[in-house]
Amino acid sequence: MKNNNIVNSIKIAVFGLTMAVMTVIGLAWFKRPDVSQIEKRKLTAFPKMSFSALADGSWFSGVETWYADTFPAREKLVNANNSFKALYGRTSEKIVGSGKNADVIPETAGEAATLPATTEPETVRDGIVTDEGGETTDGVYVSGNTGYSLYYFVKENADWYAAVLNEAQKRFEGRATVYDMIVPLNSGVVLSDSLQKELGVSDQREAISYIYGRMNPSIRTVPTFDILRNHCEEYLYFRTDHHWTALGAYYAYTSFCDIKGIAPHKLSQFQTRTFEGFVGTHYSETNSAQLKANPDTITAYIPMGTNKMTITDVNGETNENWPIIMDVDGYPANSKYSCFVNGDAKLCVVENPQITDGSACICIKDSFGCAFVPFLVDHYQYTYWVDYRYFHQSLSAFVDEHKITDIIFLQNIYNTAYKKAIEQLQELAQS
């Protein structure tokens, strides 16, 4: 017994010494990562010190989060963890995610939705996300060489989203036309109805129809589901990533043009860039060997009027003459989606030198909008787009200052069910 106690004490001492050494290394290491290529997000920045932050303890909590999030060799440790999980077993079909139950989609939408007395419904189901700025789906269904993002309808949040758009329409009535575009995920477009029922996911066509039905008729809702479903055998979505391809975005763009009453450009009119070897979020979420072995090809369509924009990134740094479609040949495999407008940014502006009528639009988007907005810039003299997670100026003042006449809200359907996204969208729409 005494020998066992000595052995245990030695083990505890060795473990404690190892942890202490690792802590010192972590604190003393000067070069710390600031971006996670695996999770496709910026890592936590070192918190700014203030008296209030010290007083309420938030500064110390921030340092703890920064330390854990930027630990040296973090990417290798995360990748090793993913590889270790893969040893549990590998199958040709698997589901990754929460697998939560969806609400029943009402057959009729009823009257236009309004915001409740409090800005948040009494009961709300949160989605699964990696961080405030990140985007993942509630689950990933992997079959063969393709991952499918799963969607679960949440009625309270669907009504809440519609109410936010209704308030925006009321605010901008007489000043600008409000458009709304909800983009379905690939599972709703590509998987059969019977398989979707077997998986227990919601019908995305019915969900989009319900949400549009809860909106004020003055909002110009853009049909997306049927046009994508009609082309479901084409390369509309990436296999290894949750985003749509530029081809999928193009078909939605033609639907927008139809609603706006303008003629869309033909694909044959655009010059293209192709990038091989893209492996995206479906792989990083599942670590599927099938997905890794079958990387995606990205085809990007270069705007005809100009390929230059002014971009303000999430840190507030502004760069002029940045390419709308940029060369990502040398980028890591999981970062190539940023060929579209350099990925998510705080604010981007394009002035098309071929149009001089003063026309201006703003697209309030999530990351699905990155592949969509390059098609818009050929129809306006000024095209602005913002990511609602990072843009915190007054939308009303921005619209007036830049004489914007078209406001386009573009969200993938997952974000109409996700509490945090709607909160952030509402904050911007009411600013």
Side-chain angles (χ1 to χ4, degrees):
M1 180 67 70
K2 184 176 180 179
N3 289 337
N4 287 340
N5 289 337
I6 293 174
V7 171
N8 289 335
S9 297
I10 293 174
K11 289 181 179 179
I12 293 172
V14 170
F15 177 78
L17 180 61
T18 301
M19 293 302 296
V21 170
M22 292 292 288
T23 300
V24 171
I25 292 174
L27 287 171
W29 199 280
F30 293 103
K31 185 174 178 57
R32 307 180 73 91
D34 55 8
V35 174
S36 171
Q37 297 294 345
I38 291 176
E39 297 169 291
K40 302 185 75 171
R41 67 179 179 90
K42 289 183 177 295
L43 300 176
T44 304
F46 192 84
K48 295 181 180 179
M49 185 180 295
S50 67
F51 179 79
S52 59
L54 287 172
D56 63 17
S58 60
W59 184 81
F60 298 98
S61 177
V63 171
E64 181 180 353
T65 302
W66 163 81
Y67 177 82
D69 213 28
T70 63
F71 194 84
R74 178 184 183 280
E75 293 285 89
K76 293 182 179 179
L77 293 172
V78 171
N79 194 50
N81 181 54
N82 288 339
S83 298
F84 179 75
K85 289 178 180 178
L87 296 177
Y88 294 155
R90 194 172 68 184
T91 60
S92 60
E93 295 189 2
K94 62 180 178 181
I95 298 176
V96 178
S98 68
K100 74 177 185 183
N101 294 322
D103 291 342
V104 174
I105 303 173
E107 292 184 3
T108 58
E111 298 180 353
T114 57
L115 291 174
T118 57
T119 59
E120 179 180 328
E122 292 182 1
T123 58
V124 180
R125 265 183 250 136
D126 285 350
I128 306 298
V129 293
T130 56
D131 69 295
E132 183 172 302
E135 291 182 359
T136 62
T137 53
D138 227 12
V140 179
Y141 172 69
V142 178
S143 179
N145 65 357
T146 304
Y148 298 93
S149 304
L150 305 182
Y151 162 73
Y152 303 88
F153 176 78
V154 181
K155 181 180 180 300
E156 287 176 303
N157 288 359
D159 290 339
W160 185 11
Y161 175 82
V164 169
L165 269 291
N166 290 339
E167 288 296 312
Q169 190 281 326
K170 186 187 303 182
R171 164 172 284 212
F172 293 106
E173 187 171 11
R175 298 158 62 192
T177 302
V178 174
Y179 296 82
D180 187 58
M181 180 183 297
I182 300 175
V183 181
L185 302 175
N186 65 343
S187 60
V189 172
V190 178
L191 296 182
S192 67
D193 292 342
S194 59
L195 179 54
Q196 291 183 61
K197 289 181 180 179
E198 182 180 339
L199 294 173
V201 297
S202 300
D203 186 311
Q204 294 181 46
R205 176 195 278 116
E206 291 182 1
I208 292 172
S209 177
Y210 172 82
I211 297 171
Y212 281 172
R214 293 286 276 155
M215 291 183 181
N216 188 304
S218 296
I219 296 174
R220 308 191 74 176
T221 55
V222 178
T224 55
F225 188 92
D226 286 341
I227 192 169
L228 291 171
R229 189 67 179 257
N230 290 339
H231 293 271
C232 65
E233 294 183 358
E234 300 177 37
Y235 194 18
L236 304 181
Y237 295 86
F238 296 112
R239 294 185 303 274
T240 69
D241 188 76
H242 68 287
H243 292 104
W244 56 2
T245 65
L247 180 61
Y250 172 79
Y251 286 125
Y253 149 77
T254 64
S255 187
F256 167 79
C257 289
D258 183 59
I259 294 299
K260 182 170 171 57
I262 59 177
H265 295 302
K266 297 179 180 179
L267 283 176
S268 59
Q269 294 178 263
F270 295 93
Q271 293 183 351
T272 62
R273 286 296 308 268
T274 301
F275 306 102
E276 304 288 348
F278 174 45
V279 180
T281 54
H282 283 160
Y283 168 67
S284 64
E285 291 166 358
T286 65
N287 206 40
S288 165
Q290 295 97 316
L291 299 187
K292 186 177 182 180
N294 292 275
D296 283 290
T297 297
I298 298 177
T299 298
Y301 299 88
I302 301 173
M304 291 176 282
T306 179
N307 193 40
K308 297 295 183 182
M309 65 179 181
T310 298
I311 180 172
T312 302
D313 66 22
V314 296
N315 297 317
E317 296 181 4
T318 299
N319 291 283
E320 297 181 354
N321 296 320
W322 199 268
I324 298 171
I325 301 300
M326 59 185 293
D327 185 355
V328 295
D329 269 334
Y331 280 46
N334 56 5
S335 298
K336 292 180 182 287
Y337 185 74
S338 59
C339 71
F340 302 111
V341 302
N342 199 41
D344 298 325
K346 186 175 183 178
L347 169 66
C348 293
V349 184
V350 172
E351 181 176 358
N352 187 341
Q354 296 187 9
I355 302 177
T356 58
D357 59 5
S359 56
C361 75
I362 185 170
C363 183
I364 300 166
K365 67 169 197 64
D366 60 18
S367 60
F368 272 64
C370 295
F372 174 80
V373 290
F375 296 111
L376 281 183
V377 304
D378 286 323
H379 296 279
Y380 297 88
Q381 183 175 351
Y382 301 98
T383 304
Y384 304 86
W385 59 92
V386 301
D387 190 303
Y388 60 85
R389 295 165 295 181
Y390 309 118
F391 185 80
H392 302 299
Q393 299 179 33
S394 166
L395 180 60
S396 181
F398 192 92
V399 167
D400 288 341
E401 178 184 355
H402 298 284
K403 298 180 174 58
I404 289 169
T405 57
D406 289 347
I407 303 173
I408 306 161
F409 289 87
L410 187 155
Q411 315 292 316
N412 78 79
I413 193 171
Y414 174 79
N415 280 336
T416 68
Y418 171 44
K419 169 188 170 184
K420 187 64 178 179
I422 304 173
E423 285 179 340
Q424 293 170 319
L425 189 64
Q426 178 176 332
E427 180 181 353
L428 176 58
Q430 293 185 331
S431 64

